[in-house]
Amino acid sequence: MTSATEPLNVAVVIGSNRHGRFGPVVADWILDHLRRHEDLTPEVVDVAGIPLPTSFARTPEAVEALTGVTPKLARADAFVVLTPEYNHSYPAGLKNLIDWHYGEWRAKPVALVSYGGLAGGLRATEHLRQVFAELHAVTVRDTVSFHNAGASFDDSGRLKDPTGPDAAAKTMLDQLVWWGTALREAKERRPYAG
């Protein structure tokens, strides 16, 4: 049994594996917020470093990849998923990681951070809400999105104007703490049966 005051373990999923991806810049920004939040302990899961096949064949390579990532997802009390928007949705590598797992997502909250062009990745987050609902995960209402993300950060990876994103991150992470704590306590009293 965990203490109600024990920090939540949060898996921060970097959802892009494209060459030249912008995800690590956004990840560094949200990780700074997570590390300052005393209720949260982050751990990074980067799809670019997880060579899972799309065939779902349990090859030796797949088993080795799962050995590295599945325990991180399993021990997480909550998730922050970062996604770009590719062709009005989220990347295939992220979907592949999600689909290789099931119980690891169940009855846990998911916060969504997106980035992209004019839409800021919001279409990707809406698609992810449907996927996580099917996996019995709870997406928190508020998100953080970066519209024209490349222009929002300077060459050193710092936000040019952090006012709006910082406020959005605080709201989102406060919701994640509430949901994560509530669901962890509920599962300790009664296992999730969904």
Side-chain angles (χ1 to χ4, degrees), residues 81-129:
V81 176
L82 282 66
T83 184
E85 183 176 312
Y86 298 159
N87 301 317
H88 283 227
S89 196
Y90 54 91
L94 176 56
K95 183 67 160 77
N96 196 39
L97 172 71
I98 292 168
D99 288 349
W100 269 98
H101 297 87
Y102 183 73
E104 291 78 10
W105 308 108
R106 289 169 59 92
K108 296 178 184 179
V110 179
L112 299 166
V113 177
S114 64
Y115 55 96
L118 290 176
L122 291 175
R123 293 174 288 220
T125 62
E126 291 309 308
H127 291 176
L128 283 168
R129 287 186 192 281

Side-chain angles (χ1 to χ4, degrees), residues 109 140-143 170-180:
V140 300
R141 182 201 176 274
D142 286 83
T143 65
K170 181 184 181 334
T171 299
M172 180 188 74
L173 293 177
D174 287 348
Q175 291 174 10
L176 189 70
V177 168
W178 189 91
W179 278 105

